[in-house]
Amino acid sequence: MPAGLQIFGDSGVLQIGEDYQNFGMASSGSVTCTTSVGGTGGLYAGTLTLSSLTFPLLAFRSSYTIAMNFYTLASGQRTYTFYGDLGNTVFWYLFDVMAPSTDTFGLEVFTPSGARAFHSSGKPLRVVQKISKSAGTGPHSLPSGPIYAVIPERLGWDETYEDFGGGNYNYVNELHGVSITSNAFQRYPMLLESYTTTTPGISRVTG
């Protein structure tokens, strides 16, 4: 670092510097699952479309069991779909490259090219834990106090496929959801889609 400011955390990891730019909270809101999804055993969907995105990360929380998917509609725009029971509410938080601040006070850190790497008035993303959790194996405890949200590492369906030859096959899709409260994270199976050769079967999983 030829010049500038570096700040390190308790573990010695660089937190702020000229070559580092954290994600900042760009917007937040809520979505309610109100649209019936056919063939899912009673699931309902709520959708959220966001635009003017650079490198978006969407975190969400709900005390209900919720699954999230997304697909890109156009350049810089994404529609996220949440699945849950009728009336379930999801709170979402969009993190992206920090937008320029209009504040005339605070601390700013710039890169050698003049781009802002940090501003103290932003709301930077703070990763508390990376959780690997099998569905239905009990809650994962979290320290009480903060409001937590989750960013899934994988979205949507988990697929298992077997080809037995002669046109015979079997595959199983599982849709998993999560719930998060003030002190616990839980992952649940929500929907099971099973195909044996050409016979489909879809069943709702409730526990």
Side-chain angles (χ1 to χ4, degrees):
M1 172 174 145
L5 170 74
Q6 287 184 315
I7 298 177
F8 294 85
D10 294 338
S11 60
V13 177
L14 179 65
Q15 302 293 309
I16 299 171
E18 64 168 12
D19 298 319
Y20 173 74
Q21 186 169 5
N22 197 358
F23 290 88
M25 192 169 74
S27 59
S28 61
S30 64
V31 170
T32 303
C33 298
T34 58
T35 303
S36 179
V37 182
T40 63
L43 285 179
Y44 286 76
T47 58
L48 168 68
T49 299
L50 299 170
S51 58
S52 301
L53 307 174
T54 306
F55 299 109
L57 289 174
L58 191 71
F60 72 94
R61 67 177 176 89
S62 180
S63 58
Y64 304 103
T65 302
I66 299 293
M68 182 177 75
N69 255 327
F70 80 85
Y71 60 91
T72 301
L73 293 178
S75 179
Q77 184 181 63
R78 290 183 181 182
T79 291
Y80 296 82
T81 303
F82 299 92
Y83 297 97
D85 288 317
L86 178 62
N88 287 175
T89 298
V90 186
F91 298 94
W92 58 268
Y93 309 87
L94 173 65
F95 292 88
D96 206 336
V97 174
M98 284 191 179
S101 174
T102 58
D103 290 344
T104 57
F105 60 90
L107 171 69
E108 292 181 301
V109 178
F110 293 87
T111 68
S113 63
R116 180 184 286 108
F118 174 81
H119 194 288
S120 58
S121 67
K123 296 180 179 179
L125 172 67
R126 180 187 177 193
V127 178
V128 177
Q129 292 185 21
K130 184 179 186 298
I131 302 171
S132 179
K133 187 73 176 173
S134 298
T137 57
H140 176 88
S141 297
L142 297 166
S144 298
I147 296 176
Y148 297 100
V150 61
I151 301 175
E153 188 175 69
R154 292 195 303 172
L155 304 178
W157 299 85
D158 288 338
E159 180 176 309
T160 303
Y161 177 83
E162 294 179 285
D163 189 342
F164 301 107
N168 296 312
Y169 62 86
N170 178 68
Y171 74 81
V172 175
N173 284 332
E174 289 183 282
L175 181 65
H176 292 153
V178 299
S179 66
I180 189 164
T181 62
S182 60
N183 60 359
F185 167 89
Q186 179 68 291
R187 183 174 183 230
Y188 296 96
M190 294 183 69
L191 192 66
L192 180 67
E193 182 182 30
S194 177
Y195 285 77
T196 302
T197 309
T198 57
T199 304
I202 299 177
S203 58
R204 178 71 188 278
V205 182
T206 57

